[in-house]
Amino acid sequence: MSWEAVIGLEIHVRLKTEQKLFCSDRAVFGSKPNTSICPVCMGLPGALPVLNSEAVNLALRTALAFGCTIHFESVWARKSYFYPDLPKGYQITQFEHPLATKGSVMFSGSEGDMSVSIRRVHMEEDAGKLIHGENLGSPGKSYVDFNRTGVPLCEVVSEPDLRSSEEARAYLGELKSILEYTEVSDCNMEEGSLRCDANISLRPEGQKEFGTRTELKNLNSFKFVQKAIEYEVDRQTRILEQGENVIQET
């Protein structure tokens, strides 16, 4: 049986602001660990978040660059999960009512000009960063740097319109060019300014219904995105051809 890959990408873009999303701490890469923090981004009792208007303007510019519909009302929500580098125990993000929806990106693919639909563009804050001791000569220990906590992000979520790792890489390259041209982000993937989550499923050729998807998180280079998708497509193909079921997981 022939299988068709169905791929959607979620792109996390670090907005090029001087300050964080809800406080006045500097949002600059490379500062000494745990020096750009305050009661607001650490979630201490009584802290009052104030929205950074510069971040909102950059997110609006992002949405307009993709031809999205801007919503005059968007709602912030708490996404609760417990990571060591998330001091509040929740992330402030936009869930049910995002900033913008229904855009598109044109790019040159293997079969000529192609278009990927953008499902939504929404804003959220970043988490901190874990640094594992194996890289610092301290095996068995991990360290946390909260400087990145609260840095403004814009998430660009595509529809599952991609069908190969090559198309995914080409789409990601075009999206990065647009973000750099509009000056909403430096898109420095080595510094985490552009990170990609890939959702992948397989279905028999000609079938309309999607298969069970898996999600690959925090990919930070075009090469890694392409190789990770190729590996996952191969893994799911082997599972399905053995008559087994793909498990939805991250």
Side-chain angles (χ1 to χ4, degrees):
M1 181 181 292
S2 297
W3 302 96
E4 179 182 57
V6 178
I7 303 164
L9 300 184
E10 302 174 10
I11 312 300
H12 300 265
V13 183
R14 185 261 190 250
L15 297 172
K16 193 162 61 174
T17 63
E18 291 292 327
Q19 297 175 328
K20 294 186 179 182
L21 188 54
F22 293 108
C23 66
S24 59
D25 285 313
R26 297 185 70 221
V28 179
F29 179 83
S31 300
K32 186 177 179 180
N34 297 312
T35 56
S36 295
I37 57 176
C38 72
V40 174
C41 58
M42 295 298 288
L44 299 183
L48 179 63
V50 177
L51 183 59
N52 182 345
S53 60
E54 181 187 7
V56 176
N57 288 334
L58 291 177
L60 287 169
R61 190 188 301 175
T62 302
L64 291 171
F66 300 135
C68 294
T69 298
I70 306 296
H71 299 290
F72 288 99
E73 180 178 294
S74 54
V75 179
W76 295 99
R78 290 186 178 186
K79 181 180 178 181
S80 296
Y81 55 95
F82 297 97
Y83 286 175
D85 58 358
L86 193 69
K88 293 195 293 288
Y90 60 85
Q91 177 190 43
I92 302 177
T93 183
Q94 293 176 340
F95 180 61
E96 293 181 335
H97 302 282
L99 180 74
T101 55
K102 296 182 180 179
S104 63
V105 173
M106 296 288 298
F107 67 98
S108 296
S110 57
E111 300 181 1
D113 291 340
M114 302 182 63
S115 176
V116 168
S117 297
I118 301 297
R119 177 179 297 176
R120 58 188 284 147
V121 173
H122 68 260
M123 300 179 67
E124 62 186 19
E125 59 178 354
D126 208 346
K129 181 179 180 180
L130 288 175
I131 304 162
H132 300 296
E134 287 79 3
N135 302 319
L136 300 173
S138 303
K141 295 182 179 180
S142 289
Y143 303 86
V144 62
D145 180 3
F146 288 120
N147 281 348
R148 200 171 67 183
T149 300
V151 166
L153 299 178
C154 192
E155 183 171 348
V156 182
V157 181
S158 81
E159 296 290 354
D161 293 343
L162 300 162
R163 296 294 177 264
S164 70
S165 62
E166 292 82 6
E167 288 182 8
R169 181 168 185 164
Y171 160 71
L172 185 58
E174 181 64 24
L175 185 140
K176 180 174 182 287
S177 296
I178 293 172
L179 294 171
E180 290 175 328
Y181 181 80
T182 53
E183 298 183 338
V184 300
S185 174
D186 59 23
C187 294
N188 191 330
M189 301 183 81
E190 292 79 11
E191 296 179 359
S193 295
L194 185 68
R195 306 194 296 271
C196 176
D197 299 344
N199 293 281
I200 303 156
S201 66
L202 297 185
R203 63 184 177 186
E205 289 277 2
Q207 177 178 297
K208 292 184 178 181
E209 294 78 15
F210 294 152
T212 302
R213 67 176 174 85
T214 58
E215 184 176 15
L216 310 177
K217 301 268 306 174
N218 290 324
L219 303 165
N220 68 342
S221 80
F222 292 177
K223 177 182 177 181
F224 291 160
V225 169
Q226 185 170 357
K227 289 176 70 68
I229 291 174
E230 290 169 355
Y231 178 89
E232 182 59 21
V233 168
D234 181 66
R235 186 186 75 88
Q236 291 190 27
T237 300
R238 286 186 278 108
I239 290 173
L240 292 171
E241 290 185 346
Q242 291 170 2
E244 301 174 2
N245 296 321
V246 175
I247 298 173
Q248 182 171 335
E249 59 186 341
T250 298

